[in-house]
Amino acid sequence: MISDKGGEGPAPATTILYISYHRFLLSPLKIMATAPLTPPIPSSLASSKCHSSSRSKPPPLLSPSPPNSLPLLPSQKRRELLLKAGLGLLPLALVETILKVPSAEAKDAVVGSYLPPSPSDSSFVVFKATPKDTPALRAGNVEPYQFIIPPTWKQMRVANILSGNYCQPKCAEPWVEVKFEDEKQGKLQVVASPLIRLTNKPNATIEDIGNPEKVIASLGPFVTGNTYDPDELLETTVEKRGDLTYYKYALETPFALTGSHNLAVATAKGNTVVLFVVSASEKQWQASQKTLKAMLDSFQV
């Protein structure tokens, strides 16, 4: 490499990282992140006369940390990994997407550590959806809702393509609002559907859309995660709360992706139909059936 003064000199750090970045594009990330960029010299060659002290080894691309240096913090370790993978010049947000590194906003803690307890039952906490929680709430495309949830559950990430973030406020298809999960008790999700998908009447009530069987026929696949068979419907009930009517469902769904047992409740308000679903496998259902029913009964828009 020719230096600025016309002589030979070490390659600038920018050039090294640029070369490393292109190596990353041509090699799997895991290999680049764990393997040294300079291959080790076989011991047989290292002892050979051709590697005499008169010929110095090429300088490493990244100098190791001094043995007496302070331990690296997690963020520093992440940066060191990015440099080793040749990604040090890319924006951190893009790099974290590539590496699937959870961001600081990930809610890895159980909900009981940040949600308030339920005033009616101390064994639950209350989740009240606000505009900071979902794209549809920020766009004013869905009414706020709330429900109780056991404190041991965790809020899960909703993929951007499923959240409706790309189409608000005029989404033509249903989207997932929020998701929660507990590996011992089951899963929870709130799904919102644009009213126009189910009826042409503006500001329609759920009764305007049709009876409970008609509504679940349209929204059933969003309960099961794949297909809906009317034979899977065990029970329907209609409940009036204030100005809204709620359709409640109990389904046994042996082939559903969400679980073999599903409970759901749906209502319509404004421009959307909101569907609340709790799901469980056979093993989870035996242990948490009562808890899941309490969660279902608590849902309100």
Side-chain angles (χ1 to χ4, degrees), residues 269-289:
K269 188 174 183 179
N271 297 320
T272 56
V273 173
V274 184
L275 178 71
F276 177 89
V277 184
V278 286
S279 310
S281 64
E282 192 64 44
K283 182 178 180 180
Q284 292 169 333
W285 182 251
Q286 298 302 321
S288 61
Q289 178 178 352

Side-chain angles (χ1 to χ4, degrees), residues 20-268:
S20 301
Y21 168 66
H22 282 278
R23 290 186 182 183
F24 159 75
L25 293 178
L26 298 175
S27 305
L29 178 59
K30 291 184 178 179
I31 297 176
M32 293 299 299
T34 57
L37 293 178
T38 305
I41 300 175
S43 58
S44 60
L45 294 178
S47 60
S48 174
K49 292 182 180 180
C50 66
H51 290 82
S52 62
S53 59
S54 61
R55 176 179 295 179
S56 59
K57 296 180 180 179
L61 293 180
L62 293 171
S63 300
S65 302
N68 296 326
S69 62
L70 294 175
L72 291 176
L73 299 174
S75 60
Q76 292 174 305
K77 288 182 178 180
R78 185 192 302 180
R79 175 59 64 187
E80 184 180 61
L81 172 63
L82 301 183
L83 289 171
K84 286 182 179 180
L87 301 176
L89 297 181
L90 295 180
L92 184 57
L94 175 59
V95 170
E96 289 187 334
T97 300
I98 296 173
L99 293 180
K100 305 295 184 184
V101 179
S103 68
E105 299 83 47
K107 295 182 179 179
D108 295 326
V110 295
V111 295
S113 65
Y114 59 89
L115 291 181
S118 168
S120 59
D121 190 338
S122 59
S123 62
F124 291 93
V125 294
V126 180
F127 176 82
K128 294 183 178 181
T130 65
K132 70 178 183 179
D133 292 309
T134 75
L137 282 164
R138 287 192 289 273
N141 204 25
V142 67
E143 297 293 328
Y145 48 86
Q146 69 178 60
F147 50 86
I148 61 173
I149 186 171
T152 56
W153 287 49
K154 291 183 178 182
Q155 185 167 0
M156 312 303 291
R157 289 184 176 276
V158 178
N160 192 55
I161 194 171
L162 298 178
S163 70
N165 187 39
Y166 63 94
C167 61
Q168 296 296 341
K170 295 184 179 181
C171 294
E173 294 296 326
W175 64 87
V176 178
E177 280 281 292
V178 293
K179 295 171 65 176
F180 295 83
E181 187 173 325
D182 183 289
E183 62 180 15
K184 293 182 180 180
Q185 294 186 307
K187 301 176 182 179
L188 176 161
Q189 66 173 334
V190 177
V191 177
S193 172
L195 194 62
I196 195 172
R197 185 179 185 271
L198 303 174
T199 179
N200 293 324
K201 183 178 179 180
N203 298 312
T205 65
I206 199 163
E207 297 101 324
D208 293 330
I209 298 172
N211 60 30
E213 289 75 16
K214 181 179 179 181
V215 172
I216 196 63
S218 298
L219 299 178
F222 299 97
V223 174
T224 65
N226 44 16
T227 59
Y228 168 73
D229 186 335
D231 292 337
E232 298 172 334
L233 184 60
L234 299 179
E235 182 183 358
T236 64
T237 57
V238 179
E239 186 176 320
K240 191 81 172 180
R241 300 184 211 160
D243 297 333
L244 298 180
T245 299
Y246 293 79
Y247 289 170
K248 297 173 68 174
Y249 305 93
L251 302 97
E252 186 172 319
T253 52
F255 305 109
L257 296 179
T258 52
S260 54
H261 294 271
N262 280 280
L263 302 175
V265 57
T267 192

